[in-house]
Structure formats: C-alpha cells, structure tokens
Amino acid sequence: MQVARHRTRALIAALVALLLPTLAAEAQTVVKVALWDKGPEAMEMPDGMLPMGMAMPGAMIDMATMGITVDKAEVPAGEVTFQVLNDTQEFYHSLGIAPVADPAKELPYLADRMMIDEAAAGRVAFVKELRPHDAGAVTVKLLPGTYILYCNIAGHYAMGMWTLITVI
C-alpha cells in the first residue's frame, strides 16, 4: 500500500513538473512590435495631407510615413508582454498603450503639441524613447477590449504611427 502511494505521488509530481512550464508559457502572451518609418523625410507631410491619427477626418493612412507593426492583432486577456524594436535608421520612437472605447472616435489630441493627451486617453503602459535599432519591453495586464499602440513623440502619431489590437 505504501509503495502504491509513493508511486502515485511520484506520478503526480512528474505530471505537475511536465505541465507547469507549459501552463506558465500559455499564461503570458508575447506581442512583437516593430516601430518603423520611411527614413529622413518621414516627418515631411506632403502639401494638403491631413494628420493620420485614428479616426481623424480625411486621414489617408495608406500614405503613412511612420507606423507600428505587430505580429498579433488579437490576444487573450491577461498578462501581455510587448517586445518592442525601433526598426529605423533615423528617428527615436516610443510606445504608448491605451484603451479605446470607440475606434470611430478620435483620441484626445493636443494639436498645438502634435501629441496625444495621455492623461485623457488613459495610457496603461509605456516603453520609453528608443534609439534606432534599440529594443525595449513592457508587460501589462489587459482586460478584454480594444487598445491602441502609438508613438507619442511630437508629430509621429499624426504621421500614422499607431495600430489597434483586440484583447479577447
């Protein structure tokens, strides 16, 4: 009887040892984020082009000279790690993350500073300014909903440097 209990305990311990790393790996999601721009002229908005922030009237996002690319546009709720690479030659970039109540509405935008009003937008996470080719990361617990990832260095958001992710 004692031998049977010992074998049962050993079997349970072995199963836990095998499953625990798998469960821990599944508990956290990693999103790879690339911050990009089209080089030295990326901040030069062509004549007549309007700012390209989310839901800004007249925005032609396909003309963006800066942007953010993610490897996953949909992630499960819970801890999410954003691994960020500034994949550029010229510009510093940063990454802010904020909830979006309605993707059809503009974010609070300070036109005179050419930046998102982060206090009003409700920023939940931030990766500091990264030099070209530098990397950073941030881990945040996200609830279901839509979130915007954006660069809030003056002018970058308006040049199209943002993307949406959905947390399910």
Side-chain angles (χ1 to χ4, degrees), residues 29-102:
T29 302
V30 175
V31 177
K32 294 182 180 179
V33 181
L35 310 175
W36 59 268
D37 60 60
K38 292 185 176 179
E41 292 82 33
M43 285 296 294
E44 297 175 16
M45 188 173 286
D47 289 339
M49 185 177 282
L50 298 170
M52 293 172 269
M54 183 183 76
M56 288 182 164
M60 298 184 304
I61 197 65
D62 57 329
M63 300 293 289
T65 57
M66 295 185 168
I68 297 176
T69 305
V70 294
D71 70 338
K72 296 175 185 75
E74 187 175 280
V75 297
E79 278 198 359
V80 179
T81 297
F82 294 89
Q83 294 177 346
V84 185
L85 173 65
N86 182 356
D87 195 17
T88 68
Q89 300 290 327
E90 299 286 328
F91 294 101
Y92 281 59
H93 293 299
S94 65
L95 181 75
I97 303 168
V100 174
D102 182 356

